[in-house]
Amino acid sequence: MDAATLARAMGNVPGVGYAALAPAFNEAMFRAGITNVNRAAMWCAQLGHESVGLKYLREIWGPSPAQRGYEGRRDLGNTQPGDGMRYMGRSAIQITGRSNYENLSKWAHGKGYVPSPTYFVDNPVALEQPEHAFTGAVWYWTVARPQLNELSDNKWIYDATRAINGGTNGIEDRIARWNRCLGMGDAILPEKIERGPVAEKVLTYKRD
């Protein structure tokens, strides 16, 4: 989808650079196997809710007890001083904790997306930058919660929300986003430009 379509799908939040995010967003959809409208609508609805229309690609850090509680959370792999803040939630789906950053890094390196198997552990801020803001979402969608595409195919938004959120927090907003994106039809399917040494061709899941 182009930047204008992405903006519409995300609710056109003021101040968000959709033009800068659109290429990585489309690439992430390919990587996550988003091959039909149901999957695309679920992807956009869930990522849109989690990031407030792609406005927040990093957790809003504050003095809340929950965030202070990240420090020393061994279930998140936060075993070193400062890990709680260092590995706060990042990407369009909030990847949180040293162990998740480690697992994501190994997976992304194996796919050839990053140059080292500890990339996001060593460079956590990279996970909130346009180039990798959706890499975490792809890992979560396909590895941590591999049932999400099947749930999307079946339009089971409550089950998909529980898989992502652990409950149904924000379900009304997620459903509203889902319905808006479904109504956009094929326009929300991903497009990708593959550049080679001689020619340039467009790969697309859109119907001709």
Side-chain angles (χ1 to χ4, degrees), residues 123-142:
N123 307 279
V125 175
L127 201 54
E128 64 188 69
Q129 303 303 319
E131 181 182 2
H132 289 299
F134 309 106
T135 301
V138 175
W139 171 77
Y140 195 85
W141 201 272
T142 61

Side-chain angles (χ1 to χ4, degrees), residues 8 39 67 74 92 116 119 126 136 145 153 158 180-181 186:
R8 182 183 168 199
R39 294 183 183 187
Q67 288 174 326
R74 291 188 174 274
S116 78
Y119 185 75
R145 299 292 186 272
D153 291 341
Y158 277 84
R180 177 173 67 237
C181 292
D186 288 354

Side-chain angles (χ1 to χ4, degrees), residues 101-121:
Y101 278 63
E102 288 174 345
N103 292 332
L104 167 59
S105 296
K106 292 174 185 176
W107 169 84
H109 181 253
K111 293 287 187 179
Y113 302 153
V114 296
S116 78
T118 59
Y119 185 75
F120 295 117
V121 178

Side-chain angles (χ1 to χ4, degrees), residues 69-88:
Y70 288 159
E71 191 70 8
R73 281 272 302 274
R74 291 188 174 274
D75 60 317
L76 293 175
N78 292 341
T79 58
Q80 300 181 27
D83 277 356
M85 186 173 183
R86 185 177 301 115
Y87 301 114
M88 67 174 72

Side-chain angles (χ1 to χ4, degrees), residues 138-178:
V138 175
W139 171 77
Y140 195 85
W141 201 272
T142 61
V143 179
R145 299 292 186 272
Q147 71 271 38
L148 282 168
N149 277 335
E150 181 180 357
L151 295 175
S152 303
D153 291 341
N154 287 288
K155 301 184 178 181
W156 291 339
I157 191 167
Y158 277 84
D159 297 85
T161 298
R162 290 188 188 97
I164 291 169
N165 176 255
T168 57
N169 181 58
I171 190 64
E172 294 84 3
D173 180 65
R174 296 174 201 263
I175 290 173
R177 290 175 180 277
W178 157 264

